[in-house]
Every structure is written in structure tokens, then in C-alpha cells.
Amino acid sequence: MTLRCPATAHEWFKSYLNNRCQYVNINRVNSEFLAVTYGVPKASVPGPLLFLLYINDLSTVSKLFTLFMFADDTNVFIHEKKLNDLILLINSELNKINIWFSANLLLLYVKKTNYFDRKYCLTLTSLLITRK
């Protein structure tokens, strides 16, 4: 996906994101500074906008899931009448999303991932939907 912005805005974002460093402070002891080569600066004013731009193309990964995205939360919806077909579709689409996450240097935190189903009793384990 290509996003267009004026040259001045592009230069501002580039200067904002380049040459960034970070360190960790534990019990008043600082680690060494390390270069930040990717990611979105947390607790910054443009951070939420940059994150949304960063994940904007996630919605193009699956043609079968309906995605609703808000901030760093994403809800996916799918409908299929037959249970076995539903499980196959979910696993196939989750695999595509997992590949997108890997390519974009992100991790899906499975422990914080919830699954809801009104009809079947299914569980989400290591990106695979299985019958309970």
C-alpha cells in the first residue's frame, strides 16, 4: 500500500524517526543507549497516528475476515455454516495474518487474544482453532 504526503511532512516524519536511541532504567541504573531501528515511539504525540499508518494494510491481508480496527485493537469476524469449513477458513486466514505480523516485525500476543463463538465451542491456541 502506498501512502502519499507532502514532501515537507515526509521530511518531518523522516527526521522524527531517524537517529533515535533508547535506554532502560532499573533501580536508578541506566543501560547503554541503543539505536531504535524500527517501531513507533511510545508516549509521543504522533505515535498513535504513526502506528495506524504502520498497520494500515493489515486490512488487506484477508479477503474472508471482516476487520474492525481501533488503536491497537483489531477484531476479526467470519461466518461459515459448516464447522469443519469454518475451522479450515479461520486457520488459513490466521496464518496469513501471522505472516503479515512477521513481515512487519510485530507479534500477536496470543494470551491477550480472545475468541468468541455463539454456536460452537472452539479455542484459540498458538494461532490454530481446534475443536474443544
Side-chain angles (χ1 to χ4, degrees), residues 10-28:
H10 180 263
E11 287 303 314
W12 183 88
F13 279 115
K14 196 166 129 182
S15 69
Y16 180 76
L17 294 171
N18 285 337
N19 302 315
R20 297 185 68 85
C21 292
Q22 69 182 14
Y23 71 95
V24 175
N25 178 294
I26 300 174
N27 296 328
R28 298 183 185 174

Side-chain angles (χ1 to χ4, degrees), residues 65-81:
F65 281 154
T66 301
L67 275 70
F68 291 98
M69 299 164 62
F70 180 77
D72 63 348
D73 288 329
T74 301
N75 293 292
V76 297
F77 298 87
I78 191 168
H79 175 76
E80 177 58 47
K81 292 180 181 179

Side-chain angles (χ1 to χ4, degrees), residues 32-51:
E32 293 181 32
F33 279 86
L34 293 175
V36 178
T37 56
Y38 59 88
V40 175
K42 291 182 169 65
S44 65
V45 173
L49 171 64
L50 291 170
F51 182 75

